[in-house]
Amino acid sequence: MSDISIHCLGASQEVGRSAFLLKTDKCLLLDYGIKIFGKDGKAEYPLTIPEKLDAALISHAHMDHVGFVPYLYNSSNVRWYATPPTIDLAELLWKDSMKIMGAELPYSFAQYKKALNMWNPIHYGQPFAMGETQVLASDAGHISGSAILELTYKKKKIVYSGDYKMEETRMHAGAKPVEDADAVIVDCTYALKEHPDRKTAERLLMDEIEETISEGGTALLPAFSLGRTQELISLVRAYNDEIPVFVDGMGKAITDIYIKHGKYMKDVNTFRKNVKDVTMVRSPFDKKRATSEPAVIITSAGMVEGGPVLGYLMNVNSDSKVMFTGYTVEGTNGWKLINEGYVTINGQDLEVDLPVSKHDLSAHAGRSDVLNFIKHANPSKVIIVHTDSGKEFERELKEDFGYDAVAPKVGDKIEL
Ligand SMILES: [Zn+2]
Ligand SMILES: [Zn+2]
């Protein structure tokens, strides 16, 4: 028996439901998320936790990392740890899941309330101990409050990257690499794909937006409410402070939380000013105005599964264009719109006769940054997670780079 083990309860050879059990002198859960669009379009949950937990550590507030935390509280009294933005964002997103999924969700309102009470704050750069295990969080550069977690036990350092981005974005300065780890559990979403140059991608999107608007249309940007909406507000305003911008969906409330936790972004003053310069859609009148003039509309849902975007899609004029900037899961409306030109609403297929484009503005590390992250950590073990192409990357890391790498399956246990 070794001193440390990692048990993969999700996000292994898949994206979604991140959950890893790290055993040192303590039994620590790293993330506890759900996979919103799993098999047959149904939500999927992590494997059952096989033993008593001492604590849960949550990297950030995306639902694939925090979405299942209330489920811990059917009987357990375990504490969970995350940064202050993460609790505020999680509260909003859990409430929204309860509203959308209702009785389908395997936790109750009482469990949600208890989860809110069992939160403990962690802060970047302030290490703390759980038994003999040291925990240190640092900025992951992915969304507000996102953290890379370093866990040290008996002089061995395990790094859990969560979702991270090293490159600077409009909202975040980017994560710093972690030096000298013994093992890394690393987000490899884009390990096989290089992102295009960020500035070029931004300019391309702006050119399309400006062209659409000059032709009298709406630039309709379906966007995830957490992270992408705020990045797009900043991006559009960085290039153009004149075109009307409307923001709709849960991104509005999330933007308020971003401002409340202003020190978790690069430049809260500029962001605050940018937010003042866009219209948050608060009424039917605002909604009508958004489509009655050439404008940018940034709205959820990012995959066009519900949210105000469906209404806009039906109401924009024929000179309009739909511009995607995020990931779409196969089979969702977003994916169907990009690949087949239709959406399904209430069981009915509706053709959408608008041009659609796709832009890469990812908030995850691209290939060279994944390799960089691993190179800096220089670990004796690389655990590849949060990707569909883990096996291919495992082979490459072993054969071309000489690392002891593994892309585990859900349920696998790794001894360190
Ligand atoms: Zn994320
Ligand atoms: Zn994720």
Side-chain angles (χ1 to χ4, degrees), residues 18 60 64-65 163 364 386:
S18 285
H60 68 290
D64 59 321
H65 299 260
D163 294 353
H364 291 264
H386 205 285

Side-chain angles (χ1 to χ4, degrees), residues 68-84:
F68 215 39
V69 168
Y71 185 77
L72 291 173
Y73 300 102
N74 46 3
S75 58
S76 161
N77 273 317
V78 71
R79 298 214 152 255
W80 68 283
Y81 294 74
T83 61

Side-chain angles (χ1 to χ4, degrees), residues 195-214:
H195 297 312
D197 173 69
R198 188 81 175 185
K199 287 281 169 333
T200 311
E202 288 185 350
R203 191 62 258 179
L204 219 62
L205 174 66
M206 279 314 296
D207 286 348
E208 271 187 31
I209 288 175
E210 284 166 350
E211 194 187 319
T212 304
I213 286 174
S214 73

Side-chain angles (χ1 to χ4, degrees), residues 11 15-18 31 59-60 62-65 142 160 162-163 187 189 364 386:
V15 178
R17 58 166 176 168
S18 285
D31 281 346
S59 66
H60 68 290
H62 276 142
M63 289 307 275
D64 59 321
H65 299 260
H142 173 65
Y160 176 56
D163 294 353
D187 157 25
T189 320
H364 291 264
H386 205 285

Side-chain angles (χ1 to χ4, degrees), residues 78 185 190 205 321 342 383 410:
V78 71
I185 308 166
Y190 292 104
L205 174 66
K321 186 167 183 174
Y342 76 98
I383 300 165
V410 175

